[in-house]
Structures are given as structure tokens and as C-alpha cells.
């Protein structure tokens, strides 16, 4: 029988320890030895364990989906460290919900294995070739799909060129997926569903484009088979999940658990999913997932209000030395800037969904961002701006330009990003590299000090927006204010 947390010393998290965990911790009620694999998840980090894995855990707590266990996978060298940590604790994860009113604790256990990380992805390919695997899901970040400026596969990227030249020894997750499809095709097996869990508009369509496009470069017949028989459902995913550090591990020990890789998260989750699964799926709707054919409206609202909103806060937050998103919301000028841009420039470009108006959704996001218990760092949120600004912010700019809407605050967002990419905060501290293209961004930010248009000349980010007179003039105005008078002065002027 579990004992009260106050009398329970911190113990190592394993299957054998579940019965000895504090009574305040919710643990699996299902027999984990009865789980069989049905999903391979690539990019197994904090978000996946707090989101997709949690939803599957909720089904298993109901005695459902026991044949949909998760096999974790990674394609980066540092994924080996996560693999070692999770295998040492029987692939269990402690989730700690951080809410101003409460703090729930739960151990989830749908994960059954983590494949060995190898340079040519042999173990991953073999895992996905197993007939029991019916879904391969991914969280590889918004910029991880090898898209060119026009949204097609970037065939000139060295990683893609390698996978075309060596299809049996691929470096990328997508090359491994193609190799697994090939193995199943040759064996006369059915394909699996490819399921993106990344914050991309039409993420399933993007995944299809990348996988089929890559296959077509080396095996057109295989590409046709994938395109005809495999499915790639679009989805919207949402839950704020900070990075794990020493503080989170200490928090977990304080409740009686030694977990090498715990996850903290907010008390809000949402998953909106298109029902396009060629090999079946768990009954996700029994765990609260919204199944709909109109994913676009949900993901557009979320990406434009939440994800673009994150960039509004994180870039200026870094420049002004505000450590977390909740710190940004507590800052009078930063929060006022956020609210004004959202209300006057973003919401006019957002459509509501069933049961939620854009204004109601913004109020929800403001409350979530303001949660002081969620230590979501501005550095984490600002990461990979070269993918997040084109994906989250600039589509709003294009729609506002097309409809004659206001773009002043949106232009200020871009000027503040340029200022962050100088690599220094306004107090003189250095901002460490925080983008795969950091060197280029820093170079262009410094060039823009003399000529603001240099920043907009990055066609891979701005495309033809640099040629739009209204946007270019608004950007130049705010860039001048930010670089000459400071970010705070620019915020006050805009407000």
C-alpha cells in the first residue's frame, strides 16, 4: 500500500517501485507487461511524453489500446542520453502539472522500448518495419521537415542528398521512414500511418510531401505506393511543456521520486486530429481528442495566437533579460504590446471554431502565458526563429497586407527579432546562439544597423514581403526606433 508523501523517501522510478510511490502520485492501473507496441515515435522529448503519450496513458487507464504501446526513437546523437535515462527507469515518466491552484502528479507508462540510436538508423528502420507498428509519429520541430522556400522538399540539402544516394543507410528520420516503407512494400505488408505532432500548418500534408518527395528521388514506384496507400493525418497539438533541468528533477525528488527525465507541464492540453489512419488507430476520442475534418481552423487559430504570440514575447524578452514567458506577461509594456498586437492585428486574421471565438481563445492564452508556475524560458521559446517566424508570424502579415489590415505591430515583432539576433541584450550580456542559422542571422542583424532592408533581404524567410512597400516602411520605422532608442522605447511608442 502506498504511504503518505511526507513519509516516503525519494526512490528510483521503475516498474517495481510503482506500488511504493507516494499516495499523492497517480500511477498506472494497467498491467504494463501486457502492452504490445503499435507506435514508433521519433523525436521523443518532453512534449511527446506530456501530450501524445499522456493521451494513450488515459486510454490504457480505461483498459483500452493495450496493443498501441510506444517505441521511442531518435536520430540525433544526443538522443542516446535520453534513451539511456528512460530505459534505466523502464520507460516510465513522471508528469507534474503546474497550475496556480494545484499541482497534480502522475506516472505514465505507455512506452515500452527505445530503439538504439545509430548513424544510419538501422535499428529504427527495423522497428518501423515490424508489422505490429501501425503508426509512426514525429516531433522533430517546425524546421525539421527539409522544406524549401516554396514548401517543397529541399532536394539540395546535404542530408537529403545523402539519403538519395544511400537509401539503405539514411541519416534523416524521413530517409528511415522511406526505408521502412520500402521493406514493408517488398514484403507485401501494409503501410503505417505517418503522424506529425509538430506545430506546422497542415502538418500531415507537409509530412506526406517530405516522405513521398524523398522516395520519388530514388524509387518512383515506391513513392507511388506510399502516396496511394499510406495516410498522413493533419493535426493540431497544444500543451506548454518547459524544458527539464535541475529544478524540475529536484521538484520530482521532493514528491518522493528519483526520475532522471521528469516532465512539467501546464494544466491544459488539446489535440485536434483528422481521422485518416490507413492501419487503424487507438480510440483517441475516448481520451478527449477532438476528431474532425476541419483541423485547419483549429490549427490556424492556435498557431496565430499562441505560437506567433510566443515569438512576440520571447524575442523582446531575451533582449530585456526577462527569463520566462510569465515574466514577460508580468512586464507592463511587454504584456501591453502583446495584447494590442493580438487584438488589433492578429485576431482580425483568425476565424473561430465550434465553441470558441478568437477573443475567448486569446483570453485563454493570456491566462496560460501568465501562469507563474510554468518556467517556460524565453530562450526555449525563441529557439529556431528562422523557422518559427515564417511559420507563425509572417502568414499573418501576408493576410493583413492582402486585406488592408494593420501591420505596424507585426512589423515591430520582426524588428525586435532582428535586435535579438545581434546576439546581445540591452544590458550588454551575450545571447548565446539559438538558431540553426544563427551565424547568418547575426551577420544580417549587424548589417541591418546601417541598412534595415538588409534584414528583409533574407528571401528564405521573407520571400516577396521585402518588396511590399507598406510592410517594408513599417519595419524600417520600428527597426530604427529599436536600434537607436531601445526596445522598451519602441514598445512604449507602439502602445
Amino acid at each position: 500500500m502506498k504511504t503518505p508523501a511526507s513519509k516516503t523517501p525519494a526512490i528510483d522510478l521503475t516498474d517495481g517501485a510503482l506500488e511504493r510511490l507516494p499516495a499523492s502520485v497517480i500511477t498506472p492501473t494497467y498491467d504494463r507487461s501486457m502492452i504490445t507496441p503499435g507506435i514508433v515515435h521519433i523525436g521523443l522529448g518532453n512534449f511527446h511524453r506530456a501530450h501524445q503519450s499522456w493521451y494513450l496513458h488515459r486510454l490504457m487507464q480505461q483498459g483500452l489500446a493495450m496493443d498501441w504501446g510506444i517505441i521511442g526513437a531518435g536520430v540525433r546523437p544526443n538522443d542516446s542520453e535520453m534513451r539511456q535515462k528512460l530505459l534505466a527507469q523502464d520507460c516510465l515518466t513522471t508528469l507534474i502539472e503546474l497550475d496556480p491552484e494545484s499541482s497534480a502528479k502522475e506516472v505514465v507508462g505507455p512506452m515500452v522500448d527505445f530503439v538504439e540510436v545509430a548513424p544510419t538508423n538501422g535499428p529504427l528502420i527495423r522497428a518501423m518495419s515490424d508489422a505490429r507498428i501501425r503508426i509512426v509519429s514525429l516531433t522533430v520541430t517546425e524546421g525539421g521537415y527539409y522544406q524549401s522556400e516554396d514548401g517543397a522538399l529541399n532536394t539540395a540539402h546535404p542530408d537529403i542528398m545523402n539519403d538519395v544516394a544511400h537509401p539503405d543507410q539514411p541519416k534523416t528520420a524521413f530517409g528511415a521512414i522511406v526505408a521502412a516503407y520500402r521493406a514493408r512494400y517488398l514484403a507485401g505488408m501494409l503501410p503505417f500511418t505517418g503522424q506529425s505532432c509538430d506545430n506546422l500548418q497542415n502538418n500531415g500534408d507537409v509530412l506526406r510531401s517530405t516522405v513521398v518527395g524523398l522516395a520519388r528521388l530514388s524509387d518512383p514506384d515506391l513513392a507511388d505506393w506510399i502516396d496511394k496507400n499510406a495516410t498522413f493525418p493533419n493535426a493540431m497539438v497544444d500543451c506548454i511543456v518547459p524544458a527539464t533541468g535541475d529544478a524540475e528533477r529536484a521538484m520530482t525528488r521532493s514528491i518522493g521520486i528519483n526520475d532522471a527525465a521528469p516532465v512539467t507541464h501546464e494544466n491544459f492540453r488539446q489535440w485536434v486530429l483528422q481521422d485518416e489512419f490507413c492501419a487503424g488507430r487507438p480510440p483517441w476520442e475516448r481520451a478527449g481528442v477532438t476528431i474532425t475534418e476541419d483541423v485547419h481552423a483549429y490549427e490556424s487559430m492556435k498557431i496565430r495566437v499562441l505560437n506567433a504570440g510566443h515569438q512576440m514575447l520571447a524575442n523582446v524578452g531575451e533582449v530585456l533579460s526577462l527569463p520566462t514567458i510569465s515574466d514577460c506577461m508580468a512586464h507592463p509594456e511587454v504584456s501591453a504590446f502583446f495584447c494590442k498586437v493580438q487584438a488589433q492585428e492578429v485576431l482580425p486574421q483568425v476565424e473561430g471554431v465550434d465553441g470558441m471565438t478568437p477573443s475567448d481563445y486569446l483570453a485563454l492564452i493570456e491566462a496560460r502565458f501568465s501562469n507563474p508556475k510554468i518556467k517556460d524560458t524565453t530562450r526555449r521559446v525563441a529557439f529556431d526563429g528562422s523557422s518559427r517566424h515564417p511559420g507563425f508570424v509572417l502568414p499573418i502579415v501576408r493576410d493583413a497586407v492582402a486585406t488592408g489590415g494593420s501591420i505596424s505591430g507585426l512589423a515591430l515583432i520582426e524588428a525586435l527579432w532582428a535586435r535579438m539576433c545581434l546576439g546581445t541584450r540591452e544590458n550588454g550580456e551575450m545571447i548565446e546562439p539559438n538558431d540553426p542559422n544563427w551565424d547568418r542571422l547575426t551577420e544580417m542583424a549587424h548589417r541591418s544597423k546601417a541598412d534595415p532592408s538588409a534584414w528583409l533581404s533574407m528571401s528564405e524567410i521573407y520571400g516577396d514581403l521585402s518588396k511590399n512597400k507598406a510592410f517594408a516602411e513599417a519595419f524600417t520605422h520600428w527597426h530604427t526606433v529599436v536600434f537607436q532608442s531601445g526596445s522598451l522605447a519602441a514598445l512604449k511608442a507602439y502602445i
Side-chain angles (χ1 to χ4, degrees):
M1 179 175 292
K2 293 181 180 181
T3 55
S6 60
K7 298 181 180 179
T8 304
I11 60 175
D12 294 339
L13 181 61
T14 62
D15 271 330
L18 289 175
E19 286 300 315
R20 294 185 286 121
L21 296 183
S24 61
V25 179
I26 301 170
T27 55
T29 58
Y30 45 91
D31 182 354
R32 295 189 72 231
S33 69
M34 300 301 293
I35 301 173
T36 55
I39 298 172
V40 169
H41 185 84
I42 303 172
L44 195 140
N46 282 13
F47 180 80
H48 163 77
R49 290 182 291 148
H51 195 264
Q52 184 189 41
S53 178
W54 179 86
Y55 279 106
L56 191 57
H57 169 72
R58 302 308 295 173
L59 290 176
M60 291 181 176
Q61 292 287 63
Q62 301 173 51
L64 304 171
M66 296 295 286
D67 59 339
W68 288 100
I70 297 167
I71 296 176
V75 296
R76 301 171 302 175
N78 59 358
D79 289 322
S80 294
E81 182 180 353
M82 178 65 78
R83 177 177 185 267
Q84 292 169 3
K85 288 178 178 179
L86 291 177
L87 289 179
Q89 55 194 50
D90 296 327
C91 297
L92 294 165
T93 291
T94 307
L95 299 181
I96 301 179
E97 176 186 282
L98 300 178
D99 181 74
E101 305 300 326
S102 63
S103 182
K105 287 87 64 177
E106 186 167 17
V107 172
V108 298
M111 185 177 173
V112 296
D113 200 3
F114 201 129
V115 300
E116 181 182 358
V117 180
T120 55
N121 290 308
L124 172 58
I125 295 168
R126 288 191 292 274
M128 294 188 292
S129 301
D130 187 327
R132 296 176 298 175
I133 300 303
R134 286 149 287 161
I135 294 174
V136 171
S137 52
L138 305 90
T139 43
V140 295
T141 77
E142 299 81 12
Y145 286 77
Y146 295 95
Q147 291 180 281
S148 59
E149 291 178 37
D150 60 1
L153 178 66
N154 181 5
T155 58
H157 195 286
D159 291 348
I160 298 300
M161 294 175 68
N162 172 85
D163 288 3
V164 173
H166 307 284
D168 296 325
Q169 296 183 320
K171 288 183 178 180
T172 74
F174 308 104
I177 289 172
V178 170
Y181 274 136
R182 182 181 298 109
R184 296 171 79 113
Y185 172 56
L186 294 176
M189 296 165 56
L190 293 173
F192 48 76
T193 294
Q195 183 177 16
S196 172
C197 296
D198 281 301
N199 285 313
L200 279 170
Q201 193 93 38
N202 301 315
N203 55 11
D205 297 338
V206 172
L207 178 57
R208 174 187 289 275
S209 174
T210 300
V211 170
V212 174
L214 179 56
R216 197 166 300 285
L217 294 173
S218 59
D219 191 337
D221 289 340
L222 174 63
D224 290 340
W225 180 80
I226 296 170
D227 202 25
K228 179 180 178 180
N229 296 285
T231 53
F232 301 84
N234 290 307
M236 184 275 273
V237 296
D238 191 8
C239 185
I240 296 175
V241 184
T244 294
D246 291 340
E248 288 72 26
R249 284 183 283 270
M251 182 188 306
T252 310
R253 287 194 298 272
S254 73
I255 64 172
I257 304 174
N258 278 327
D259 186 332
V263 176
T264 60
H265 60 90
E266 65 172 334
N267 67 341
F268 177 91
R269 287 182 182 86
Q270 190 175 23
W271 195 4
V272 182
L273 188 58
Q274 186 181 20
D275 200 1
E276 296 287 344
F277 289 80
C278 62
R281 63 169 175 83
W284 295 120
E285 61 272 28
R286 298 280 295 272
V289 176
T290 299
I291 306 296
T292 179
E293 287 304 306
D294 189 20
V295 173
H296 176 78
Y298 287 89
E299 64 185 0
S300 179
M301 185 165 69
K302 186 257 181 172
I303 285 173
R304 294 188 172 205
V305 179
L306 187 150
N307 296 109
H310 260 159
Q311 299 313 299
M312 296 176 200
L313 298 172
N315 298 157
V316 70
E318 275 281 70
V319 173
L320 294 178
S321 305
L322 300 173
T324 69
I325 294 301
S326 60
D327 290 329
C328 292
M329 292 301 289
H331 188 285
E333 285 77 21
V334 174
S335 61
F337 161 66
F338 170 85
C339 292
K340 181 176 179 180
V341 178
Q342 289 278 8
Q344 296 188 5
E345 303 187 23
V346 177
L347 293 195
Q349 310 304 328
V350 173
E351 296 182 4
V353 298
D354 290 343
M356 181 73 72
T357 67
S359 295
D360 290 340
Y361 188 69
L362 175 57
L364 172 65
I365 298 306
E366 288 179 26
R368 292 168 63 191
F369 282 2
S370 299
N371 183 350
K373 286 194 173 183
I374 296 293
K375 305 298 183 183
D376 202 9
T377 65
T378 49
R379 176 172 176 80
R380 186 198 76 84
V381 174
F383 173 73
D384 197 10
S386 59
S387 294
R388 294 181 175 186
H389 280 258
F392 303 153
V393 181
L394 299 184
I396 310 173
V397 176
R398 288 190 169 87
D399 283 356
V401 166
T403 59
S406 174
I407 57 171
S408 179
L410 295 166
L412 176 52
I413 294 169
E414 297 307 295
L416 291 166
W417 179 39
R419 174 60 186 83
M420 188 196 80
C421 290
L422 279 181
T424 57
R425 299 183 177 89
E426 291 192 345
N427 64 5
E429 294 176 346
M430 178 176 291
I431 298 175
E432 296 296 328
N434 199 27
D435 192 289
N437 302 302
W438 186 255
D439 289 345
R440 172 163 168 75
L441 293 173
T442 301
E443 176 192 353
M444 299 306 287
H446 280 276
R447 285 179 56 186
S448 75
K449 288 194 291 186
D451 177 13
S453 67
W455 181 259
L456 296 184
S457 72
M458 292 187 288
S459 59
E460 69 275 20
I461 293 172
Y462 291 100
D464 59 358
L465 270 178
S466 63
K467 300 176 183 177
N468 181 272
K469 182 179 179 181
F471 178 68
E473 288 181 350
F475 173 82
T476 299
H477 167 72
W478 287 120
H479 182 284
T480 302
V481 177
V482 168
F483 278 67
Q484 292 185 2
S485 302
S487 299
L488 192 57
L491 296 183
K492 290 180 177 179
Y494 173 75
I495 296 166

